[in-house]
Amino acid sequence: MHRPRPAVGLSLAVIAVAGVMSGWGTGPAVADPGSGGTLYVNHNSQACSDSGAGTESRPFCSVQAAADVVEPGDTVRILGFANDPYPEVTLTRSGTSDAPITFTGEPLLPNGPQASLTGSASAPALTLKGVHDVRVESLPLSDEGADAVAVTGSDHVTLDRLVINRPAPSAPATGSAVDVDGTSSNVTVSRNWIGPGSAYGVRVRAGASQVTVTTDVITTMRQGGIAVTGATGADVTSNTVWAPCATGISMDGGSSGVVENNVAVSTGSPQSSTCPAPTAPLYTVSPDSAGQVTSDYNVAANDAAPSAPARTEYSWAGTSYATSAAFRDATGQGTHDIDRVSAYLGTPVEHSPLIDSADATAPGELTTDYVGRPRVDDRLVTDTGTTTHPDRGAIERQDTIDIPSADDPSPTQGIAPFDTSMKTDATTSWGEALTYSIDFGDGSAPAHGPAGTPITHTYTTPGLHTPLFTFTDTDGNSRSTSYGWVVAGTTAPPPASLSMAPDTATGSVNAGSAQFTAPEPVDSWEIASRTLSFGDGTQQNLAVNTEQPLHQYPAPGTYTATLTQTDRFGRTTTARTTFHAADTFVATDPAYDTEKTIAAHGVLKLSAATLRADSNGVDAAQLQIVTTGAKANGSLTLYTAGTTRPGTSTIAFEKGRTALNEATVKVTPTGAVDVYNNSSGAVTVNVATVGLQTHAQYAATYHPATPVRLLDTRNHTGGVTGPVAGNHSVTLTVAGAHGVPAGAQAVVLDVTATTTKSSGSLVLSTHGTTDSSLTGPYWTIGQTASAQIVLPLRDGKVVLRNAGKGSAHLVADLVGWYGTTAGGSEFLPTTPARILNTRTGTGTGKVARIAAHATLKLKVTGAHGVPATGVTAADLNLTVPSPSGNGYLVAYADGTPRPGVYSLNFTKGHTAANRALVKVGTDGVIDLYNAGTGPVDVCADLLGDYDLFPAG
């Protein structure tokens, strides 16, 4: 059986079949499959149709559609789920004695889902109206106030193995689980489980005839368990009725028939509106029925506490009897009745007087109990019944088959092929001989034999196999058990596989986070455990199915992740992948965060909060530094707080002159930076944060550009001709041209002022906002000055304002931009290092200045923490110390045409420094061209590099 049922030996659980559905099957059904066919109903199928043929591939959507077309000999198979019930159904079509109509909810597959019907407050779940030769079986039903099943004007009807339940009412209950009206005959109500909630379990109305109510379990009815009124030839046999609130079995109104082998149980419930008669007799036969009813082999059982009110066992012909002895002596009925026994809704306990004590010849007695088990002889009990030894009530005690729990196959695993031995030493409580059947679970033929004989089996097919043991006694009673897994291993352990992808969002990337994929391995059943070590000292246990763990790394760097798989035999396999955690760029609206004076050879400490570098995963800050009021010539070095000061310089300054530069500075895990003044005099420093590099936020990648001139007021490039007057501005469109997309988040420009008519400075602002401005280069009258500037974009435009009193020509060159992930580069900060110094031969191997109009080739990859391949740009600080003439440097990618742009302007006798984000050639080399009139020394300090996304 596959329908819900209570467990043997335990009290019955309430089986809820809930829910009301309506509106299905409103169209006409037209199918006519012919006699002896099967009609399918499944409203969970997307192919269902009430105008179709009711086939398995195209079932009806409603049960009513099938009921409207069913023919003699047809079976209607109702599929679906109990928690998704069908609405009420009325059947008006009949079968024949040789070809009955059958409705069944039995699932197609063992342990499969089971459909249900539900009624409403005004209509039964199922109505059989004027039909004959109909069978309804294996179907859950429920109602909301009316009858669950109503049989009206029908004959030769069988209701078998139904599960009928209704939520317990908060008010007096109405309706019956099964109601047979007075115009019906030859109705059998058998082997049903009827739960609490209705007023009556089975109610047979006046005028009905030949109604058999047999082997049902009926629980907690509010008005009566089985009530027969004015019916002739009614047989009430072998039912178990849990009757705490009303009479268990009653026959009145001039009824005739037999009441035998029933068990009615009193529970001692208190009286209430929903339990009106807790002390009513367990059995009642009215005066007008007593002369036509035979009663014997019944049980008046008690499962109430000793303190519960006394309950009358019988009311016969208007007289109450407290005991079966009194009833027997006074009426001559109940000769074999039993009372004063403890019973409950479950299998009778061993040696219970209910066992082997029923009348096997009672009308309506079945050869099986309500769950379909045979009526058997208990070898431990002396028979007091007749012939075939049935127990009283609906539940038959079976032999207890004991299968030792420790009898696992031995061994339980091995590399296929391998042999294992299995014991078959089960026993029974009745001492019966047992036979076994073993399904080895590997597709081989089952083995059979007498219990107690061990058997050996060879597993040749790798896999997890579950041997199923079934032991059967001489009565056909059986018990099955499985002994877990038998593991037949593969010759080689399953290989491991691991891949990695960057953690990207729409247009951005978290460059320190990796999305790993560990696919479900081949022969995954063989894997016992999987562990992914991320390469940073942490690890995660993975399930055997495909997993995609996301891991955030603590800092930029190269990490090797290792997946280790261990199979059930202790064998391991591994897979590895490398992840290069890096940084991406968060543009900030620049603001001058601090202005401090640093004493000669003093150190200024800048906190993370000051630099706005205290957000997730910040590894470096892009800063603009302005020096004023210098008391002597010198330079500043910016470096990670608490580390050894490097031998590099960030900005050079001269006594009495203002200087400006941008630089990328690694920060501590808390975001701090130290600023060292190597001058013999004090200097005032003003610092602004123009961007952050982070490994733990979704941010932008860098796109180095081939340098191109966007603005030159000397020749109308950019649409402006002529010098820009003092305190006047030029608006320059950057995005949407020269490869810079409209959605770019920030731009890197080299800006220059030349032909200057007074001292002054350049102010650059993000167009469309008033809170995003930076000071550009400072100049003296007649000086050419340049600076590299990183500026956020709003609408793709920037504003350049001449903050001096006199006019100046303005030049702007595109260096690169920050924006979408695709095609971009991630940043890898390095410890600051001087990679070029022509005065000492660093980077060239010889001491030699760069001659006028000459080019120096500088290798930047493969050293100082810079990868050998994949580098797209280098973040440098270029310095020309004390040049002997005027001029400028052009820094560009080796192997590409030299662009006509400025990277660093210098003036005779004045040390000049400028940040330079320089595109790197495919050979890892950058070119430095001296456009000056004489040879110059050049220093290059490395601050970091950009690698093509994903970094590798």
Side-chain angles (χ1 to χ4, degrees):
M1 303 297 172
H2 311 301
R3 63 189 184 284
R5 63 168 68 94
V8 176
L10 301 174
S11 60
L12 295 177
V14 174
I15 301 175
V17 182
V20 177
M21 294 187 66
S22 60
W24 290 91
T26 55
V30 298
D32 184 9
S35 178
T38 299
L39 301 179
Y40 292 89
V41 180
N42 187 353
H43 62 187
N44 298 118
S45 169
Q46 293 183 350
C48 76
S49 171
D50 279 348
S51 60
T55 62
E56 187 172 7
S57 60
R58 195 183 182 195
F60 290 125
C61 297
S62 69
V63 181
Q64 189 63 57
D68 290 342
V69 300
V70 65
E71 295 287 345
D74 284 351
T75 295
V76 176
R77 188 173 289 279
I78 306 168
L79 306 178
F81 300 90
N83 61 357
D84 186 13
Y86 291 90
E88 58 267 16
V89 175
T90 298
L91 177 66
T92 59
R93 299 171 71 87
S94 299
T96 67
S97 60
D98 295 329
I101 287 173
T102 300
F103 280 72
T104 179
E106 191 75 29
L108 287 172
L109 300 175
N111 302 315
Q114 194 168 18
S116 64
L117 302 181
T118 187
S120 64
S122 59
L126 175 63
T127 300
L128 303 180
K129 185 175 182 180
V131 302
H132 58 83
D133 297 293
V134 171
R135 181 179 182 87
V136 182
E137 63 185 21
S138 301
L139 189 65
L141 301 103
S142 181
D143 71 279
E144 293 296 328
D147 301 329
V149 181
V151 181
T152 63
S154 300
D155 64 88
H156 292 90
V157 169
T158 298
L159 305 175
D160 186 52
R161 295 180 297 155
L162 305 180
V163 175
I164 303 174
N165 192 57
R166 176 185 175 195
S170 57
T174 59
S176 302
V178 176
D179 193 294
V180 180
D181 84 334
T183 62
S184 297
S185 64
N186 291 289
V187 176
T188 299
V189 181
S190 59
R191 299 189 299 178
N192 301 296
W193 191 91
I194 298 176
S198 298
Y200 295 91
V202 178
R203 195 171 190 185
V204 182
R205 306 280 189 162
S209 63
Q210 306 305 314
V211 177
T212 300
V213 183
T214 179
T215 322
D216 299 291
V217 175
I218 301 174
T219 69
T220 322
M221 294 301 108
R222 298 319 197 230
Q223 300 291 336
I226 300 171
V228 180
T229 300
T232 59
D235 298 325
V236 181
T237 305
S238 292
N239 300 285
T240 297
V241 181
W242 185 267
C245 296
T247 298
I249 297 173
S250 64
M251 297 186 75
D252 59 23
S255 296
S256 65
V258 171
V259 179
E260 280 206 51
N261 297 342
N262 300 286
V263 176
V265 184
S266 169
T267 62
S269 297
Q271 186 172 14
S272 68
S273 62
T274 59
C275 189
T279 60
L282 290 175
Y283 298 92
T284 295
V285 177
S286 64
D288 57 6
S289 302
Q292 302 154 168
V293 174
T294 299
S295 176
D296 202 3
Y297 289 92
N298 298 301
V299 178
N302 183 26
D303 193 30
S307 59
R311 186 163 187 177
T312 300
E313 293 181 357
Y314 303 91
S315 174
W316 188 272
T319 301
S320 297
Y321 299 96
T323 66
S324 62
F327 171 58
R328 178 177 62 248
D329 293 343
T331 65
Q333 299 281 349
T335 303
H336 301 89
D337 281 11
I338 303 172
D339 65 355
R340 307 300 176 95
V341 298
S342 178
Y344 57 95
L345 285 180
T347 300
V349 298
E350 193 64 85
H351 302 291
S352 167
L354 276 62
I355 298 173
D356 291 356
S357 63
D359 178 10
T361 65
E365 179 70 22
L366 302 180
T367 59
T368 63
D369 72 355
Y370 98 107
V371 292
R373 299 171 302 188
R375 298 290 190 176
V376 296
D377 182 17
D378 186 338
R379 300 336 189 239
L380 305 182
V381 173
T382 301
D383 296 348
T384 57
T386 62
T387 60
T388 56
H389 328 288
D391 298 348
R392 303 192 195 199
I395 306 170
E396 182 80 4
R397 181 168 186 84
Q398 305 291 316
D399 191 1
T400 301
I401 300 176
D402 180 37
I403 305 174
S405 60
D407 280 359
D408 293 322
S410 180
T412 57
Q413 67 178 37
I415 304 300
F418 79 100
D419 294 338
T420 186
S421 177
M422 303 181 188
K423 295 181 180 180
T424 62
D425 52 357
T427 58
T428 78
S429 60
W430 296 350
E432 293 188 77
L434 292 172
T435 58
Y436 69 80
S437 173
I438 303 176
D439 181 345
F440 298 104
D442 59 356
S444 62
H448 307 276
T453 305
I455 185 170
T456 299
H457 179 69
T458 300
Y459 282 96
T460 59
T461 303
L464 289 180
H465 308 297
T466 305
L468 176 65
F469 292 67
T470 300
F471 293 92
T472 305
D473 64 16
T474 55
D475 292 315
N477 180 41
S478 64
R479 182 184 173 194
S480 298
T481 190
S482 297
Y483 281 115
W485 299 113
V486 173
V487 184
T490 56
T491 303
S497 178
L498 181 66
S499 61
M500 176 277 302
D503 178 15
T504 57
T506 303
S508 60
V509 61
N510 181 347
S513 178
Q515 180 83 63
F516 292 93
T517 297
E520 181 174 346
V522 177
D523 297 324
S524 58
W525 55 267
E526 197 167 3
I527 301 302
S529 65
R530 298 203 298 173
T531 301
L532 178 57
S533 299
F534 296 106
D536 60 358
T538 64
Q539 64 182 34
Q540 180 177 334
N541 293 327
L542 304 183
V544 174
N545 56 294
T546 297
E547 287 231 43
Q548 293 185 300
L550 185 66
H551 185 68
Q552 178 70 57
Y553 282 92
T558 299
Y559 301 90
T560 298
T562 303
L563 174 65
T564 301
Q565 285 183 174
T566 303
D567 72 6
R568 293 172 180 267
F569 301 93
R571 301 176 296 182
T572 61
T573 53
T574 58
R576 293 180 175 84
T577 187
T578 299
F579 179 68
H580 300 276
D583 286 327
T584 45
F585 181 76
V586 178
T588 61
D589 290 324
Y592 290 96
D593 305 304
T594 186
E595 183 174 2
K596 298 288 184 179
T597 298
I598 310 174
H601 304 295
V603 175
L604 170 65
K605 293 187 176 296
L606 301 177
S607 69
T610 298
L611 299 177
R612 294 184 287 169
D614 49 358
S615 58
N616 290 344
V618 172
D619 298 305
Q622 290 196 18
L623 306 177
Q624 186 184 80
I625 306 97
V626 179
T627 62
T628 58
K631 302 302 182 183
N633 294 349
S635 64
L636 297 180
T637 298
L638 277 70
Y639 58 100
T640 307
T643 64
T644 302
R645 185 173 71 247
T648 58
S649 64
T650 303
I651 181 171
F653 54 84
E654 295 179 351
K655 179 180 179 180
R657 301 185 69 171
T658 300
L660 174 146
N661 199 7
E662 287 195 3
T664 301
V665 185
K666 285 182 68 176
V667 299
T668 66
T670 58
V673 167
D674 286 350
V675 183
Y676 172 70
N677 174 15
N678 79 343
S679 170
S680 60
V683 64
T684 299
V685 61
N686 204 323
V687 179
T689 301
V690 300
L692 301 171
Q693 299 285 1
T694 173
H695 69 270
Q697 299 180 47
Y698 289 103
T701 56
Y702 179 59
H703 299 253
T706 298
V708 61
R709 184 145 291 173
L710 304 180
L711 174 71
D712 191 336
T713 61
R714 297 170 299 183
N715 57 23
H716 196 66
T717 299
V720 179
T721 302
V724 178
N727 293 315
H728 282 68
S729 300
V730 172
T731 298
L732 175 63
T733 298
V734 176
H738 307 291
V740 181
Q745 297 176 25
V747 65
V748 183
L749 299 174
D750 276 330
V751 292
T752 301
T754 188
T755 318
T756 53
K757 299 302 183 181
S758 70
S759 60
S761 63
L762 186 65
V763 176
L764 288 89
S765 302
T766 300
H767 186 263
T769 182
T770 59
D771 58 357
S772 182
S773 297
L774 279 172
T775 300
Y778 289 84
W779 61 80
T780 58
I781 186 169
Q783 181 188 7
T784 296
S786 61
Q788 188 169 102
I789 302 295
V790 177
L791 194 67
L793 295 176
R794 293 289 187 275
D795 58 6
K797 300 176 183 179
V798 298
V799 178
L800 291 79
R801 182 171 66 86
N802 176 5
K805 293 181 179 180
S807 66
H809 279 291
L810 302 182
V811 178
D813 299 325
L814 174 67
V815 176
W817 54 275
Y818 293 96
T820 56
T821 300
S825 298
E826 300 169 304
F827 182 67
L828 293 173
T830 63
T831 300
R834 180 148 291 179
I835 61 172
L836 173 66
N837 189 341
T838 58
R839 295 173 298 182
T840 63
T842 299
T844 60
K846 60 180 181 179
V847 176
R849 294 186 291 175
I850 305 176
H853 307 297
T855 300
L856 181 147
K857 295 181 180 294
L858 177 63
K859 180 79 169 181
V860 296
T861 60
H864 306 290
V866 180
T869 59
V871 178
T872 60
D875 192 345
L876 303 175
N877 191 62
L878 299 177
T879 303
V880 175
S882 302
S884 58
N886 298 336
Y888 62 90
L889 290 181
V890 179
Y892 60 100
D894 186 52
T896 65
R898 183 175 73 246
V901 300
Y902 304 124
S903 297
L904 171 64
N905 284 89
F906 52 85
T907 303
K908 180 180 179 179
H910 298 283
T911 296
N914 198 27
R915 184 209 187 180
L917 278 178
V918 185
K919 195 172 183 179
V920 175
T922 57
D923 56 358
V925 173
I926 63 171
D927 292 349
L928 296 173
Y929 173 71
N930 176 11
T933 57
V936 292
D937 281 310
V938 177
C939 296
D941 295 333
L942 176 69
L943 305 176
D945 63 271
Y946 285 89
D947 285 10
L948 185 65
F949 171 81

